[in-house]
Amino acid sequence: MIRKERKKIKEKIFLPVIMLFFSLLLQAQEDRKVAVFDPAGTIDKTLLEIVREEISSAVVNTKGYTVLERQLINKVMEESEFQASGLVSDAQVSDIGRLMGADYVFVSTVSILGNNYYISCKMIEVATARIDKQFTGTTTDGMNDIPQTAQFVVRRMFGENVKPIAGQTGGRQQQTTANEVETTGISKRQNAEYQLSDDCALLHLYRPSSVVGTLIRYNLYLDNDMIFLVKNKSKTTVRITNEGLKTLWAKDESKTELPIDIRLGREYYIRCGLGTGPFVGKPRLEIVDNEKGKVEFVKIH
């Protein structure tokens, strides 16, 4: 009888302790919530939206972090009568982030620097209002490499060992003459031609001139790498050294995917465009035979 009572007492003491331990463990494993604010800057609104989406994409794909829904951020900003461009201090940013239930707030600015764009990003810890991370970068091809530069800056902020974009060193990019962007197994040139060889495959991406959706643009990805900002009458060539089944994809209102089996020593022509009818804003991707694709690709200047 006494043993049973002692057992019950032990269960009453240790069970809550064990439950508390696992509760704290689960809490520690929860992703930290990040509120990504709209970038500040006097440049085109579309470019600012591209920077915001690239930042959100990079953060959400970083282990241990999640991004708050845009609707929640906008709702809190409206109810609090705050505007991102009017938040003049880190303390103010921290206060508004606390109302959103965020652990961190991500703020950025985009400025024109000659013919390029300067992107400055910092992440503020809500609890302390201190800057947790900060990094900057400058494009080297005007607006064309804004998505890559934004992604690079964020990934460096989170300590990823990424290969520099177009000669990036430290916290700022340096100008290069090659005009080449590289990631693991992938390199891209817009103003130069690659030579096809047995140790690489060439991916020719292009969007012919069209009166449909002239102002609409979207990012084209190869698996996890953003490789092309698709806009009217544009083209680029991507050199790939890792063969295998990959997925080209783009997303605007809805996601479009195109599986492609990359083999070294071959080249591929991908025509990009927009859907017609009720889905005019939906990206369209198709593999074109080399003879026809080469003719269409060369016509684009």
Side-chain angles (χ1 to χ4, degrees), residues 258-298:
L258 178 65
I260 181 169
D261 189 13
I262 301 293
R263 296 299 167 191
L264 301 185
R266 299 183 183 180
E267 55 185 340
Y268 306 83
Y269 286 86
I270 309 298
R271 184 196 296 132
C272 307
L274 294 170
T276 55
F279 302 104
V280 67
K282 181 180 179 180
R284 187 180 66 214
L285 308 172
E286 58 181 315
I287 299 176
V288 182
D289 68 81
N290 286 3
E291 186 176 347
K292 182 178 181 180
K294 186 174 183 179
V295 172
E296 295 181 338
F297 189 86
V298 171

Side-chain angles (χ1 to χ4, degrees), residues 199-216:
D199 62 351
C200 73
L202 297 182
L203 204 59
H204 304 289
L205 311 166
Y206 65 99
R207 177 179 166 186
S209 177
S210 173
V211 295
V212 178
T214 304
L215 300 179
I216 298 176

Side-chain angles (χ1 to χ4, degrees), residues 41-87:
T42 56
I43 65 170
D44 183 79
K45 184 179 178 181
T46 301
L47 295 179
L48 291 176
E49 290 176 352
I50 289 173
V51 171
R52 184 194 68 204
E53 291 306 305
E54 292 299 329
I55 290 172
S56 296
S57 173
V59 174
V60 81
N61 286 307
T62 301
K63 187 176 181 180
Y65 294 89
T66 187
V67 175
L68 295 180
E69 290 290 334
R70 174 64 33 193
Q71 293 90 333
L72 170 63
I73 295 175
N74 291 340
K75 181 180 179 182
V76 173
M77 296 287 272
E78 290 173 4
E79 291 178 352
S80 305
E81 297 182 351
F82 271 103
Q83 295 294 325
S85 59
L87 299 173

Side-chain angles (χ1 to χ4, degrees), residues 218 250-256 273-275 279 281-285:
Y218 56 85
K251 184 178 181 181
D252 190 45
E253 294 299 325
S254 58
K255 189 174 183 179
T256 299
L274 294 170
F279 302 104
K282 181 180 179 180
R284 187 180 66 214
L285 308 172

Side-chain angles (χ1 to χ4, degrees), residues 1-283:
M1 185 72 178
I2 296 176
R3 287 182 178 178
K4 289 183 177 180
E5 289 298 324
R6 286 179 178 175
K7 186 177 180 181
K8 289 181 179 179
I9 292 173
K10 287 181 179 180
E11 288 177 350
K12 289 181 179 179
I13 294 174
F14 288 109
L15 187 59
V17 173
I18 293 172
M19 291 177 65
L20 177 61
F21 172 77
F22 280 105
S23 175
L24 292 174
L25 184 63
L26 289 172
Q27 186 175 358
Q29 292 176 340
E30 285 184 1
D31 288 345
R32 286 156 288 185
K33 297 183 284 292
V34 181
V36 178
F37 284 5
D38 289 335
T42 56
I43 65 170
D44 183 79
K45 184 179 178 181
T46 301
L47 295 179
L48 291 176
E49 290 176 352
I50 289 173
V51 171
R52 184 194 68 204
E53 291 306 305
E54 292 299 329
I55 290 172
S56 296
S57 173
V59 174
V60 81
N61 286 307
T62 301
K63 187 176 181 180
Y65 294 89
T66 187
V67 175
L68 295 180
E69 290 290 334
R70 174 64 33 193
Q71 293 90 333
L72 170 63
I73 295 175
N74 291 340
K75 181 180 179 182
V76 173
M77 296 287 272
E78 290 173 4
E79 291 178 352
S80 305
E81 297 182 351
F82 271 103
Q83 295 294 325
S85 59
L87 299 173
V88 295
S89 71
D90 293 346
Q92 281 183 295
V93 172
S94 177
D95 288 340
I96 197 70
R98 189 175 291 108
L99 293 175
M100 297 174 183
D103 298 307
Y104 297 92
V105 173
F106 200 110
V107 294
S108 58
T109 58
V110 185
S111 311
I112 297 176
L113 187 63
N115 295 324
N116 292 302
Y117 293 84
Y118 176 79
I119 301 176
S120 175
C121 300
K122 64 180 177 179
M123 195 164 78
I124 299 168
E125 186 178 38
V126 170
T128 61
R130 69 178 180 86
I131 298 175
D132 184 71
K133 295 175 176 58
Q134 187 168 13
F135 209 81
T136 64
T138 306
T139 66
T140 61
D141 191 22
M143 68 175 65
N144 292 323
D145 60 336
I146 280 181
Q148 297 99 318
T149 304
Q151 283 264 348
F152 175 83
V153 168
V154 178
R155 291 165 68 186
R156 284 298 297 270
M157 284 177 65
F158 284 91
E160 288 191 35
N161 186 24
V162 293
K163 190 174 290 187
I165 297 178
Q168 176 128 7
T169 58
R172 180 176 295 185
Q173 285 178 292
Q174 305 298 322
Q175 195 78 3
T176 66
T177 56
N179 195 24
E180 181 173 344
V181 177
E182 294 190 355
T183 56
T184 304
I186 301 173
S187 56
K188 181 187 74 172
R189 285 182 181 170
Q190 291 176 317
N191 297 333
E193 292 185 359
Y194 284 112
Q195 295 297 320
L196 183 63
S197 61
D198 293 336
D199 62 351
C200 73
L202 297 182
L203 204 59
H204 304 289
L205 311 166
Y206 65 99
R207 177 179 166 186
S209 177
S210 173
V211 295
V212 178
T214 304
L215 300 179
I216 298 176
R217 58 181 66 188
Y218 56 85
N219 296 330
L220 180 63
Y221 292 82
L222 182 65
D223 291 338
N224 295 322
D225 294 293
M226 189 279 182
I227 58 173
F228 185 32
L229 176 60
V230 182
K231 54 187 179 180
N232 199 41
K233 200 177 179 182
S234 61
K235 66 179 180 180
T236 193
T237 295
V238 176
R239 181 177 183 270
I240 302 172
T241 56
N242 295 329
E243 66 178 3
L245 184 62
K246 302 179 183 296
T247 301
L248 283 165
W249 62 275
K251 184 178 181 181
D252 190 45
E253 294 299 325
S254 58
K255 189 174 183 179
T256 299
E257 294 185 350
L258 178 65
I260 181 169
D261 189 13
I262 301 293
R263 296 299 167 191
L264 301 185
R266 299 183 183 180
E267 55 185 340
Y268 306 83
Y269 286 86
I270 309 298
R271 184 196 296 132
C272 307
L274 294 170
T276 55
F279 302 104
V280 67
K282 181 180 179 180

